[in-house]
Structure formats: structure tokens, C-alpha cells
Amino acid sequence: MHLRFSQDLAALLKLLAEKPLTLRDITAETSERGFSLIIGLLALPFLLPMPPGFAGPLGFGCLILALQMALGRKSPWLPKQIAQLKFPNWLVLNLLNTLQRLTSFLEKIARPRFRWLAESHHIWQLNGICIAWLAFLLMLPIPFTNPIPTVGILLLAVATLEEDGLLMCIAYGLTIAITLLVIGIAYALWISPTLIQNLFS
């Protein structure tokens, strides 16, 4: 794996499998790079089936970190309840397998490009705003939509760590598309009882 995102995240997951660490331990070691890594670590499980009650803290953690980015903060901070979170061993192993499948795709699309854009302080804040919005969509109780915002979050996390300005621009467009899609699904679910009643009336 040549991407820093994939390499660093795989190393963290392997470390978590050997010796469970809290998110506080990870933030202490990764500094500014910790934003992209921890957001990726918190978002990746949403690509897998998760037990009830696990999604809330992960989504809230993504939201808090993204809001800090939006405010221009350079070192991540998490509330005590989330900072003490430890990933179960079974989840870590599943995430490693998922990451390996994602890596081959990510390596084809991510590389340092438009670095003048990627290194901008304002773009850093814009990335935080987009991730925060996607994390909010992720936390909405809309069935079957979790993987949709997750793709956008992971793409922005990868683009930020790899300093890929072009991929960031693509991710902004994807954020708009994801927003429209989630709104469309929510609206369809909202009117579906009415449609069913009309069909059988």
C-alpha cells in the first residue's frame, strides 16, 4: 500500500488488534495527521453491519473532529466518553479486510495534485464543513443510508491526507450528490405509507 492514508490506517488497525488502544492514545501520537486518520477510523465501520448503539458514538466523533477542522484547529480533541472508546477485536479484523479491498481503488484515484489548493487553510476548513455535514447525514435515522455519506467522508479524509486538491474538488461535488440522494431517500420513505394507502384504497 503506497498511500499514507492506507498505510497509516492499516498500521493503527494492526496495533489495535494486538493491543487495544483508546482513541485518546491515537490522537496523542498522530497530531495534525490524526484528523484524517481518526475520521477514517471512525467512518470505516459504517461500511459494515454494526450492532445497535455503536453507530452513535462513531458518528458523533466524526462530527466533533470535522467541526474542529472547520474552525481551523490543527490538533484533534475528543470528549472523554469518545476518547476512551476501544474497538472490539472482531471489528478491527473486519476493518482490516475492508481497508485492503478499498486500497486498490484508492491508489488509482489519489495522488498529490493541485497542492496549492490542498494546502490552503481555507480549504482545510471547507473540508471540515463538508465532513461535518456528511457526518450529520450519517447520524440521521434513515434506513439503508449509512454507506452513502461514509463514501464522501472517506474520500475527503484521503484527499486531505494525500494533499490531493483535484480529489477534494471531486469530493465536493459528491457531497452535493450525496445530500440530494439522502434527501430523496428520506422523502421516499416519508411518502411511502401514503402511496401504499392510495394503491389499496
Side-chain angles (χ1 to χ4, degrees), residues 31-101:
S31 187
E32 182 177 335
R33 290 164 57 253
F35 273 108
S36 297
L37 289 176
I38 296 175
I39 285 173
L41 186 63
L42 293 174
L44 199 59
F46 286 97
L47 296 178
L48 303 169
M50 284 195 296
F54 208 72
L58 297 181
F60 189 57
C62 276
L63 179 61
I64 287 180
L65 290 174
L67 289 174
Q68 291 174 49
M69 288 179 66
L71 293 173
R73 188 180 174 95
K74 294 296 183 179
S75 56
W77 171 87
L78 287 168
K80 183 178 179 180
Q81 294 85 347
I82 298 176
Q84 292 176 339
L85 180 68
K86 293 182 180 181
F87 282 71
N89 187 261
W90 63 266
L91 180 58
V92 171
L93 296 176
N94 285 337
L95 291 179
L96 273 170
N97 292 331
T98 302
L99 182 63
Q100 288 172 354
R101 291 195 296 269

Side-chain angles (χ1 to χ4, degrees), residues 96-177:
L96 273 170
N97 292 331
T98 302
L99 182 63
Q100 288 172 354
R101 291 195 296 269
L102 283 175
T103 298
S104 59
F105 170 71
L106 293 175
E107 286 186 344
K108 294 176 183 177
I109 63 171
R111 65 187 64 90
R113 291 173 291 195
F114 297 179
R115 296 185 71 167
W116 56 271
L117 180 68
E119 294 174 355
S120 166
H121 177 70
H122 297 298
I123 291 297
W124 170 269
Q125 292 179 297
L126 179 59
N127 290 349
I129 292 170
C130 289
I131 294 173
W133 171 245
L134 291 169
F136 171 74
L137 295 179
L138 189 63
M139 296 171 67
L140 293 177
I142 304 174
F144 316 118
T145 59
N146 277 354
I148 301 172
T150 300
V151 171
I153 292 172
L154 289 174
L155 207 59
L156 280 165
V158 171
T160 301
L161 191 58
E162 302 300 326
E163 298 180 336
D164 189 340
L166 178 59
L167 187 58
M168 288 177 189
C169 293
I170 294 171
Y172 299 149
L174 185 62
T175 299
I176 296 172

